């Protein structure tokens, strides 16, 4: 078996696409097709189903995939160690995150990893928590950081740090006299700005309200906004108040633009998780990143 053919087979299986495998390996699509066809001829079996425009592995392909992946990782492991010896690790890490981790956690992780591996590049993707989980399960995303643990038997979750949602108001009138702990019924009187469906922040708030027997429909919601930064700008312009992560408003609180309040009866504490596929074999670089992230916040 030609090693390039095995790399091609692994790429097609991973991306479920001949064109994406071609882009990943810097080859033409006809070359990708030729590698797969020649590998199937040599092994005298069909490895990839090509029906209905969907790429999937045959039973023979599933058997070969684990061996091929091990061989590719063994090669990459040797290159990784040699480059480490020479003092230059290169490669690319792809990480997807929901809004709060994307803006306030992932940059810290990337900067920390960059100090050890300055030649590694990153692709950071924005999805809500549900999309991150689904992308990892389907093999479209390697790593994710999310604000909600969505159980699945194919996923590993590693707790990184704790967070809390606060009710955020402007520090100016008419909210100057808002108490540090706001009565629950008070939020029914205020214009609220909420995150979009699917976000971990929105899910946590809904669960806390449900536990307190408050229907979301009873709130005076003036806007549903995906961007945390956009919500903060709306708060500053007195459109309404909102529930946001404490990590999202550190600067605004320090400069006395915002005040943070707890709401009586609402438990809005949560954890952020690093999530990855339990059964997928990471490359040596991905393994190094995985170990780095899992240890990073333990020493902070």
């Amino acid at each position: 078996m030609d090693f390039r053919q095995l790399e091609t087979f692994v790429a097609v299986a991973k991306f479920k696409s001949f064109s994406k495998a071609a882009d990943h390996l810097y080859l033409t699509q006809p070359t990708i097709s030729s590698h797969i066809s020649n590998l199937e001829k040599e092994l005298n079996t069909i490895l990839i189903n090509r029906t209905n425009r969907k790429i999937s592995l045959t039973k023979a392909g599933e058997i070969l995939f684990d061996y091929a992946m091990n061989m590719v990782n063994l090669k990459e492991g040797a290159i990784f160690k040699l480059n480490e010896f020479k003092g230059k690790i290169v490669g690319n890490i792809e990480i997807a995150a929901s809004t709060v981790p994307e803006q306030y956690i992932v940059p810290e992780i990337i900067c920390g990893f960059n100090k050890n591996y300055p030649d590694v590049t990153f692709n950071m993707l924005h999805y809500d928590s549900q999309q991150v989980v689904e992308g990892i399960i389907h093999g479209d995303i390697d790593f994710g950081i999310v604000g909600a643990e969505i159980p699945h038997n194919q996923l590993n979750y590693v707790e990184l740090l704790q967070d809390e949602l606060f009710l955020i108001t402007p520090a100016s009138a008419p909210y100057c006299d808002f108490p540090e702990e706001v009565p629950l019924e008070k939020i029914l009187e205020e214009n609220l700005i909420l995150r979009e469906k699917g976000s971990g922040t929105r899910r946590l708030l809904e669960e806390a309200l449900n536990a307190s027997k408050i229907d979301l429909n009873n709130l005076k919601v003036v806007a549903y906004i995906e961007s945390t930064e956009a919500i903060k700008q709306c708060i500053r312009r007195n459109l309404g108040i909102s529930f946001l992560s404490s990590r999202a408003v550190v600067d605004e609180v320090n400069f006395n633009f915002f005040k943070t309040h707890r709401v009586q009866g609402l438990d809005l504490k949560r954890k952020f998780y690093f999530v990855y596929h339990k059964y997928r074999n990471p490359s040596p670089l991905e393994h190094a990143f995985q170990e780095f992230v899992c240890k990073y916040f333990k020493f902070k």
Side-chain angles (χ1 to χ4, degrees):
M1 286 180 285
D2 181 82
F3 195 86
R4 195 61 168 166
Q5 293 173 357
L6 289 175
E7 285 184 314
T8 300
F9 169 69
V10 167
V12 171
K14 178 179 179 180
F15 294 108
K16 300 180 179 64
S17 165
F18 280 71
S19 60
K20 289 181 180 179
D23 292 340
H24 177 71
L25 296 173
Y26 302 102
L27 298 173
T28 64
Q29 195 165 330
T31 301
I32 294 292
S33 298
S34 176
H35 282 337
I36 296 299
S37 295
N38 290 335
L39 183 60
E40 289 178 328
K41 287 177 183 177
E42 181 179 350
L43 298 175
N44 194 29
T45 188
I46 301 299
L47 300 171
I48 294 175
N49 292 311
R50 302 169 176 84
T51 57
N52 299 324
R53 296 184 179 180
K54 290 184 67 176
I55 299 297
S56 62
L57 297 181
T58 64
K59 186 63 179 177
E62 291 175 358
I63 293 171
L64 177 63
F65 179 77
D66 288 338
Y67 290 98
M69 194 71 199
N70 287 336
M71 285 186 273
V72 170
N73 281 344
L74 189 62
K75 173 200 169 186
E76 292 183 355
I79 294 173
F80 182 87
K81 284 300 182 182
L82 286 170
N83 285 335
E84 193 173 46
F85 174 74
K86 293 185 289 184
K88 187 170 184 179
I89 300 295
V90 297
N92 182 264
I93 297 291
E94 187 173 87
I95 183 167
S98 52
T99 301
V100 172
E102 176 198 32
Q103 295 175 338
Y104 309 107
I105 297 176
V106 175
E108 182 178 351
I109 291 173
I110 289 176
C111 292
F113 193 75
N114 176 260
K115 292 177 182 178
N116 296 332
Y117 302 101
D119 297 301
V120 173
T121 59
F122 287 86
N123 288 341
M124 187 161 63
L125 309 173
H126 172 76
Y127 297 106
D128 66 38
S129 298
Q130 185 68 46
Q131 292 171 327
V132 171
V133 165
E134 291 175 356
I136 293 174
I137 291 170
H138 296 142
D140 301 322
I141 297 172
D142 294 321
F143 301 114
I145 297 182
V146 295
E149 187 176 7
I150 303 171
H152 195 283
N153 60 8
Q154 295 182 39
L155 299 177
N156 267 339
Y157 286 90
V158 178
E159 180 185 331
L160 297 182
L161 46 85
Q162 292 189 338
D163 184 43
E164 184 174 2
L165 300 185
F166 286 89
L167 181 66
I168 308 301
T169 67
S172 56
Y175 297 99
C176 305
D177 297 327
F178 252 52
E180 288 188 10
E181 190 169 37
V182 179
L184 184 56
E185 60 272 13
K186 180 67 176 174
I187 67 170
L188 299 175
E189 305 169 3
E190 301 294 328
N191 290 338
L192 288 173
I193 306 164
L194 299 185
R195 287 285 308 279
E196 79 289 357
K197 284 186 177 180
S199 76
T201 297
R202 169 76 172 269
R203 184 181 296 108
L204 175 60
L205 178 60
E206 288 182 350
E207 290 172 353
L209 290 171
N210 288 337
S212 296
K213 304 290 191 288
I214 292 182
D215 192 323
L216 198 66
N217 294 323
N218 293 332
L219 302 178
K220 294 169 59 179
V221 181
V222 295
Y224 296 96
I225 299 178
E226 180 177 343
S227 165
T228 300
E229 292 300 313
I231 290 175
K232 291 196 291 185
Q233 290 300 318
C234 289
I235 294 172
R236 291 186 66 173
R237 287 161 176 77
N238 289 314
L239 176 66
I241 59 181
S242 187
F243 288 90
L244 295 176
S245 164
S246 59
R247 294 178 175 273
V249 294
V250 171
D251 291 339
E252 288 83 0
V253 170
N254 288 339
F255 286 103
N256 201 35
F257 294 135
F258 290 162
K259 286 188 175 180
T260 60
H261 315 266
R262 289 188 170 91
V263 177
Q264 293 174 6
L266 292 188
D267 181 7
L268 295 175
K269 294 183 176 66
R270 65 174 172 182
K271 300 172 182 177
F272 284 116
Y273 300 91
F274 180 56
V275 56
Y276 56 92
H277 202 286
K278 188 181 297 185
Y279 303 112
R280 192 169 299 133
N281 291 322
S283 70
L285 177 59
E286 290 168 344
H287 181 70
F289 179 71
Q290 185 174 304
E291 286 195 329
F292 174 84
V293 174
C294 291
K295 294 177 181 177
Y296 183 78
F297 289 99
K298 289 183 179 179
F299 302 100
K300 293 188 70 62

